[in-house]
Amino acid sequence: MKKYIKSIILTAVGISLLTGCQTELDTFNENPNDPITTTPTLLLAAMEVSTFSTHTSGLIRTSNIFDQHLAGTSVGQLGEIQRYILTEQDINNEWNTVYGTTLISGHILSRDFAADYPYYNGIGQVLTAINLGYATDLWGDVPYDEAFRAEQGNKTPRYNTQEEIYQRLQTILDEAIVNLKKPASSNVSVPGNDDYIFKGNVAKWIKVAYVLKARYALRLTQVDTNAAQKALDYITASGISSNADDANTFFTEQANELNQWYAFDNSRANYLKTGAFFVNTLKTNLDPRLSFAIAEDDNGGYTGNAADDLDTTSSSYIGAAYASPDSPVGIVTYAEAKFIEAEAKFRLGQNAQPALEAAVAASVLKVTGTAATPVFLATASTTVTLENIIQQKYLALFLTMEPYNDYRRTGFPALVPNQSSNTKTIPVRFPTPSDERNYNPNATVVSNVTTNLWWDK
């Protein structure tokens, strides 16, 4: 455990969002003769910080290039991603962040502090579900049941099937809800400012947990005939009611605490642009989010790069609503919840239009700060089909992984792959990281990025 805790703290301090825990960090190693210990505060902070990093860097960047929200250029290494070349070496760092920082922190939090700190543990379980969901939705089979047993001598954990992981996700979230519903008096101490997302508001964490249960239930529409009803039941149980319930990333304008999209563009200018399909759809629809989601190009307009255009660098980058120094980015949101409700009701033959309209309205308000006009809402939500629900969700959930998941699950929106790529087919998974292939003989190794996941039939 000693090496894991050191890694956790070094990662969190490196991102420099643990300033609120400085006193504990200062005294962390006061007695070198005692075993290294940690606290729920440090573990929760490490989990949130690494989740913010994951949600605004490599995994999301790549999935958003694949679904044409973004476009890599030949200026840097993202040009290879734009050509659908993703190697097993490319994603070791992302895998190691998810497992070596976030999930191991959640494991220690649950193992060592569950009895006396159910609120900390419950929040950690929600964050575990978010990050384990990222892992399985990109890699398919992944380790979980045996993932953190190195101290017991198991350094080559077996992989759980994706079907098993989806069962674990629901169980983890159920346990989180139980913990978060316990009375405050059952805790030795409760989260506060060390919870960067909700400042210890467990009622909001319960809402997020139910929305995640709905997210993961709806993901299984191709393999579970009851997926839509389950998703709708979870959304109803969540009680989520406005953008004020959103779980967002937290960044500041301090040098080492910057929004990662902003920081990336400043350190690697012209590596990444917005995608033409996304930009053109916003323009065609006279979408009020255009000037907030998309930055002006070199000519004062809004343009994106087509799937086969790796060379244009005068086009637009991500806009200020998502990529200013301290812009928050939604992780689990009210808008997503309403889109889930809309799709679930549509699949069940119920009236989905009010939920679809509410979803679009929530997104416009969140991105622009101003309510959408009735005319725009009517235009966006009058056509109640699966294609339009997913299309509107695609526009709203920019810079999340959900549109990529929806594209693989439904085939919408109808994207045209990069025809100058080697495969001419949009990848539907990530390859197994080389570290896992080389050092874990029990790994489920998949190299072909066109091999479908279990839930993607």
Side-chain angles (χ1 to χ4, degrees):
M1 185 172 72
K2 182 172 181 178
K3 69 176 182 179
Y4 287 131
I5 295 174
K6 283 184 176 179
S7 175
I8 291 165
I9 294 172
L10 286 172
T11 300
V13 172
I15 301 173
S16 300
L17 283 174
L18 292 185
T19 53
C21 308
Q22 192 59 54
T23 300
E24 294 182 42
L25 289 174
D26 289 343
T27 61
F28 192 76
N29 282 322
E30 282 186 345
N31 186 351
N33 296 315
D34 284 345
I36 285 183
T37 59
T38 188
T39 67
T41 285
L42 284 170
L43 292 166
L44 176 60
M47 290 189 79
E48 291 195 357
V49 168
S50 57
T51 298
F52 300 159
S53 176
T54 295
H55 189 68
T56 55
S57 58
L59 300 185
I60 304 298
R61 193 162 54 231
T62 299
S63 61
N64 270 241
I65 289 174
F66 289 164
D67 72 21
Q68 298 181 21
H69 278 105
L70 300 174
T73 75
S74 55
V75 172
Q77 70 268 28
L78 297 184
E80 294 295 278
I81 306 300
Q82 187 71 16
R83 295 195 295 124
Y84 307 150
I85 299 173
L86 182 64
T87 72
E88 60 179 11
Q89 290 82 25
D90 291 334
I91 34 77
N92 280 321
N93 288 341
E94 285 78 8
W95 175 279
N96 290 332
T97 297
V98 170
Y99 275 93
T101 300
T102 316
L103 295 182
I104 184 64
S105 298
H107 169 73
I108 296 170
L109 187 54
S110 181
R111 184 193 65 191
D112 295 350
F113 299 102
D116 294 332
Y117 301 88
Y119 286 3
Y120 278 99
N121 188 35
I123 296 171
Q125 288 168 317
V126 176
L127 294 167
T128 292
I130 291 171
N131 286 274
L132 186 59
Y134 287 155
T136 192
D137 286 338
L138 293 175
W139 285 290
D141 297 354
V142 292
Y144 183 68
D145 290 351
E146 297 182 3
F148 310 110
R149 297 182 182 178
E151 289 182 332
Q152 288 78 45
N154 184 357
K155 298 181 181 179
T156 58
R158 76 170 182 89
Y159 274 41
N160 291 94
T161 66
Q162 185 169 63
E163 182 175 9
E164 290 174 334
I165 292 294
Y166 262 80
Q167 294 167 354
R168 303 296 185 274
L169 288 171
Q170 294 293 347
T171 300
I172 291 165
L173 290 165
D174 286 339
E175 292 174 353
I177 291 166
V178 170
N179 281 321
L180 294 167
K181 286 184 174 180
K182 290 181 179 179
S185 60
S186 64
N187 294 265
V188 171
S189 65
V190 297
N193 288 334
D194 49 352
D195 170 14
Y196 300 116
I197 297 176
F198 289 132
K199 305 301 182 186
N201 187 327
V202 293
K204 290 185 182 293
W205 279 110
I206 291 170
K207 293 178 181 181
V208 168
Y210 275 114
V211 174
L212 285 169
K213 284 178 67 66
R215 174 193 287 183
Y216 295 134
L218 196 65
R219 186 88 80 247
L220 306 187
T221 49
Q222 296 185 37
V223 295
D224 181 359
T225 56
N226 295 316
Q229 187 62 59
K230 290 176 182 177
L232 185 57
D233 290 345
Y234 294 143
I235 290 297
T236 301
S238 76
I240 193 167
S241 58
S242 75
N243 293 343
D245 294 329
D246 289 0
N248 299 313
T249 61
F250 174 75
F251 299 107
T252 79
E253 294 185 351
Q254 299 300 311
N256 293 320
E257 302 173 5
L258 295 169
N259 172 291
Q260 292 300 289
W261 297 110
Y262 173 88
F264 185 86
D265 192 44
N266 276 268
S267 63
R268 295 179 174 90
N270 293 323
Y271 277 41
L272 186 67
K273 296 294 179 177
T274 49
F277 179 86
F278 177 51
V279 176
N280 291 342
T281 303
L282 293 173
K283 289 165 67 175
T284 299
N285 294 344
L286 301 179
D287 196 301
R289 292 166 290 193
L290 175 65
S291 62
F292 296 86
I294 310 299
E296 290 185 353
D297 62 23
D298 289 355
N299 299 311
Y302 302 99
T303 55
N305 285 15
D308 59 355
D309 179 5
L310 280 73
D311 297 322
T312 300
T313 58
S314 59
S315 46
S316 298
Y317 187 63
I318 303 164
Y322 297 89
S324 63
D326 61 349
S327 294
V329 181
I331 303 171
V332 181
T333 63
Y334 173 63
E336 180 189 351
K338 299 307 286 186
F339 280 115
I340 291 171
E341 179 184 341
E343 181 183 343
K345 286 185 172 178
F346 174 80
R347 288 180 179 274
L348 293 168
Q350 301 177 19
N351 182 11
Q353 194 279 333
L356 177 58
E357 181 174 319
V360 175
S363 173
V364 171
L365 181 60
K366 182 180 182 71
V367 174
T368 71
T370 303
T373 66
V375 172
F376 178 75
L377 289 178
T379 301
S381 64
T382 296
T383 303
V384 184
T385 61
L386 180 61
E387 181 174 7
N388 190 47
I389 291 169
I390 299 300
Q391 175 71 51
Q392 294 300 328
K393 190 178 179 185
Y394 174 89
L395 298 176
L397 270 59
F398 181 40
L399 302 185
T400 75
M401 199 185 294
E402 286 311 290
Y404 180 52
N405 294 329
D406 288 339
Y407 170 75
R408 291 180 288 171
R409 178 174 62 89
T410 69
F412 299 126
L415 303 172
V416 177
N418 179 0
Q419 295 303 300
S420 66
S421 66
N422 289 339
T423 63
K424 297 179 175 57
T425 301
I426 294 173
V428 294
R429 66 175 302 127
F430 284 12
T432 304
S434 61
D435 286 352
E436 287 293 293
R437 181 180 60 78
N438 289 329
Y439 302 114
N440 185 0
N442 292 320
T444 301
V445 178
V446 180
S447 300
N448 187 346
V449 296
T450 64
T451 301
N452 289 1
L453 302 178
W454 164 71
W455 53 252
D456 178 18
K457 299 298 184 183

